[in-house]
Amino acid sequence: MTLHCQTTCTVYGVEPETGKYSFAHNKKFVYKILLVSDSEIISAVKLLYKAGLKVEPSGAAAFSALMHHKVPDVSGKTVVVVITGGNVSPEELVNIFEM
């Protein structure tokens, strides 16, 4: 099974499309999915860049969910967020900062 969704997503690494194997794997092991918008991810990329990290938008998605208070029950807890992907060109960064 392949799921398709039309999107204007600028975050290509997290486009809503999956193949039959990844869908079955996610169905079995993923507890919950949090949704973040392109603009929320872009704001996370900008903040991370200002902190000295060059991160591609899809690599900042989890941080974006935390940054925009979409992760429940984290108050007073130690939280770890994996931030990945430096596969973003200088031109793409310029475009992100112009958004």
Side-chain angles (χ1 to χ4, degrees), residues 9-93:
C9 189
T10 59
V11 188
Y12 301 112
V14 292
E15 285 184 287
E17 183 177 313
T18 183
K20 66 179 180 178
Y21 298 113
S22 57
F23 180 76
H25 181 78
N26 288 332
K27 187 175 176 183
K28 182 176 180 179
F29 296 109
V30 173
Y31 168 71
K32 187 173 185 177
I33 295 173
L34 302 174
L35 300 177
V36 289
S37 68
D38 281 9
S39 62
E40 289 169 332
I41 292 174
I42 294 304
S43 67
V45 169
K46 290 177 180 179
L47 180 66
L48 290 167
Y49 186 82
K50 289 175 184 174
L53 299 172
K54 184 181 99 171
V55 180
E56 65 187 69
S58 59
F63 177 75
S64 176
L66 186 66
M67 177 179 158
H68 292 284
H69 310 288
K70 297 194 174 193
V71 181
D73 303 322
V74 295
S75 182
K77 296 180 181 176
T78 300
V79 178
V80 175
V81 177
V82 176
I83 299 171
T84 63
N87 189 21
V88 59
S89 71
E91 294 80 17
E92 290 170 312
L93 282 174

